[in-house]
Amino acid sequence: SLVGTPEQVADALLKYYDIHESKARRLGLADRSLHITRQQAGEALRRATAAFDVLGLKVESLDPDAPRPETEFTPRVTGIKKALRDDGYHLCMETATLKTRYYKKHGFKEPYIVQRAELLRHLLNNKKIIVYPDELLVGNFTARRVGAQLWVEYFSAMGVGNIYNCDKQTPIPFQCSQAEKARFYLEMAPFWATNAVIMKIFPTYRELGLYAARLLQKKYGFENNMSGVSHFIMNSERVLKLGTDGIRQEVLAACEEHGDEAAPFYDAVLTSLTALEEFAARYAKHLSAMARRETDEARRAELLEMARICRRVPKYPARTFHEALQAILFIEIGLCIEAFENAISFGRMDQILYPYYRDDVQAGRITYEKARELMALFVLKIDEIIFFNDGDTGLQLGKLFETVSP
């Protein structure tokens, strides 16, 4: 029965509600089914609603079999969406390789906050710059179309047991070449075996083993303190209004006010702002070069406009809806590379973006249809970054996340 404790009700909802499978079916993805029928899912929702009512919680549940209105998108959006789905999931070693080589060369220096900012600048200046066909918003999280990063500085030791088989794991495999796997085991794993955060917290294999055993019990929730910051809402509205250059002026003024006491923090902020500007400038240069080679007049105009936008944001305040979306995307990429890509929220995008949309419409710069296309393309760009997990193998930490669902 689903009438019971909140834990029992939650467990039943997770077991019977087929949100993952229904998404896979709508997207036409090959996904192993648990063979839960729509009738079972609907009945589970109705019984769970009654169970919550017994607990004094008011729940409103929609009929899972209610017809869904079909949304039509432009051919550009449909094509990019198909390209993402066809590419599959990858484990990308690019940033992990860059981080490993950076720390091997420079060591670990104090103040760490300054070095971490310098590492971000190194990553954004050395990672691959990719512009995919028909894109109007640019910026790649990884070197793969759809990719997960490997956070060697946090969990390198935990990856030793499953990376070799990650392209065969279930339910969701991650493509990874033999060369990339070899690079991890021969170049990265030995270095991070003694330098990763998790090895600092659990310096002996006995302590690490006990920690892993506690995770296997799955009784105490998920401890995220060792996986970077994440789980926050970025203040993109401030960057859109001031630009990184405007924030730089505030930082310099604060440095004058607070003196040497907070100097490391302000130095790190200034380096991070510069890193974002340089990342956007790399895209502006790349887009301009693409435009010179482009033979299609319409696409050349799009490339030149994107290059102009990348020269503008995030360094200077955004003035249009398109500029605002591009600035937010650059900020998100920087955060996901520096601060663990899980659960970094955009906040109230409607409130943040509406003034730019309103002004563009009033000035005749954009139509509803064009803004809708840009918003869809923005959502698809965010689909390019996924969270690497160990599936049904090892500690099965991947079962705690919905971030790799279709």
Side-chain angles (χ1 to χ4, degrees):
S1 173
L2 291 182
V3 178
T5 66
E7 290 79 10
Q8 290 172 323
V9 174
D11 180 70
L13 282 171
L14 289 172
K15 182 177 180 181
Y16 287 107
Y17 186 56
D18 66 343
I19 182 171
H20 180 93
E21 292 183 11
S22 63
K23 284 197 296 183
R25 287 192 294 271
R26 292 198 305 274
L27 294 170
L29 300 176
D31 200 35
R32 188 179 69 179
S33 174
L34 298 178
H35 303 293
I36 299 170
T37 67
R38 300 292 290 175
Q39 290 74 21
Q40 287 175 306
E43 181 60 25
L45 282 174
R46 286 186 285 273
R47 294 171 64 185
T49 300
F52 277 116
D53 186 61
V54 171
L55 298 170
L57 300 173
K58 179 65 176 176
V59 176
E60 291 186 7
S61 174
L62 299 177
D63 183 356
D65 293 316
R68 287 176 171 269
E70 290 295 328
T71 303
E72 293 185 4
F73 293 102
T74 63
R76 186 195 306 269
V77 171
T78 303
I80 290 177
K81 178 181 175 181
K82 184 178 186 303
L84 290 174
R85 303 310 179 200
D86 290 347
D87 193 64
Y89 298 142
H90 297 260
L91 174 58
C92 181
M93 298 284 188
E94 182 185 50
T95 55
T97 301
L98 289 170
K99 289 175 185 177
T100 302
R101 293 174 182 174
Y102 175 89
Y103 280 118
K104 282 184 175 181
K105 179 179 180 180
H106 298 285
F108 296 87
K109 300 177 182 178
E110 295 290 345
Y112 186 68
I113 186 175
V114 174
Q115 188 179 37
R116 189 73 184 179
E118 291 172 349
L119 172 63
L120 175 63
R121 188 178 182 185
H122 175 75
L123 295 174
L124 293 181
N125 273 285
N126 288 278
K127 71 188 304 296
K128 289 181 180 178
I129 293 294
I130 305 172
V131 176
Y132 296 104
D134 292 328
E135 286 193 312
L136 296 179
L137 294 166
V138 296
N140 49 298
F141 292 87
T142 72
R144 303 294 184 180
R145 188 64 188 266
V146 181
Q149 300 181 89
L150 183 63
W151 291 87
V152 284
E153 69 269 47
Y154 297 123
F155 298 116
S156 181
M158 309 296 279
V160 171
N162 75 296
I163 286 178
Y164 76 95
N165 197 46
C166 66
D167 51 348
K168 298 180 178 64
Q169 72 182 29
T170 57
I172 299 174
F174 289 81
Q175 301 174 50
C176 187
S177 69
Q178 292 300 114
E180 289 177 311
K181 292 178 185 178
R183 192 185 315 136
F184 170 75
Y185 285 105
L186 297 177
E187 180 180 347
M188 299 182 222
F191 177 77
W192 294 107
T194 55
N195 292 303
V197 171
I198 196 168
M199 301 310 294
K200 301 293 183 182
I201 299 173
F202 305 110
T204 69
Y205 287 113
R206 180 180 182 277
E207 292 174 295
L208 182 62
L210 290 173
Y211 169 70
R214 290 194 294 272
L215 287 178
L216 284 169
Q217 287 181 301
K218 294 183 173 59
K219 291 182 179 179
Y220 306 107
F222 179 64
E223 175 57 62
N224 200 53
N225 289 338
M226 289 183 295
S227 58
V229 184
S230 66
H231 292 84
F232 61 84
I233 299 173
M234 64 174 173
N235 190 355
S236 56
E237 188 172 14
R238 190 160 175 267
V239 182
L240 296 183
K241 288 181 178 179
L242 298 175
T244 52
D245 193 56
I247 295 176
R248 177 182 290 106
Q249 303 311 312
E250 292 187 348
V251 173
L252 293 174
C255 286
E256 292 291 329
E257 179 180 351
H258 298 290
D260 296 336
E261 179 183 355
F265 169 75
Y266 291 127
D267 287 345
V269 173
L270 291 172
T271 300
S272 300
L273 294 173
T274 300
L276 284 172
E277 293 168 358
E278 292 172 342
F279 187 52
R282 291 182 69 201
Y283 268 98
K285 182 179 179 180
H286 184 66
L287 287 161
S288 296
M290 290 180 66
R292 288 193 295 271
R293 297 190 300 268
E294 182 59 57
T295 58
D296 181 81
E297 290 294 332
R299 183 57 178 165
R300 182 187 295 120
E302 290 175 347
L303 293 169
L304 289 173
E305 174 64 5
M306 287 188 284
R308 181 199 66 77
I309 290 172
C310 290
R311 286 191 292 270
R312 173 76 193 183
V313 295
K315 186 172 184 177
Y316 303 110
R319 299 167 300 185
T320 68
F321 186 77
H322 197 163
E323 288 179 358
L325 282 174
Q326 183 62 71
I328 293 172
L329 182 57
F330 277 142
I331 298 165
E332 178 76 2
I333 292 171
L335 289 171
C336 286
I337 288 175
E338 197 282 328
F340 205 62
E341 73 278 282
N342 185 46
I344 299 177
S345 174
F346 298 104
R348 290 296 304 272
M349 289 282 281
D350 55 340
Q351 295 180 1
I352 294 168
L353 291 172
Y354 178 70
Y356 300 95
Y357 170 72
R358 178 199 60 211
D359 292 348
D360 277 3
V361 170
Q362 291 176 353
R365 290 189 294 260
I366 202 170
T367 62
Y368 168 79
E369 289 73 22
K370 191 62 179 180
R372 186 169 176 267
E373 180 182 58
L374 284 171
M375 198 70 238
L377 294 174
F378 179 86
V379 172
L380 289 173
K381 287 300 292 184
I382 304 307
D383 278 354
E384 292 180 9
I385 183 69
I386 54 176
F387 188 81
F388 179 61
N389 68 75
D390 54 357
D392 290 331
T393 64
L395 299 176
Q396 300 183 0
L397 294 178
K399 292 186 175 181
L400 297 171
F401 298 95
E402 173 67 10
T403 50
V404 292
S405 66

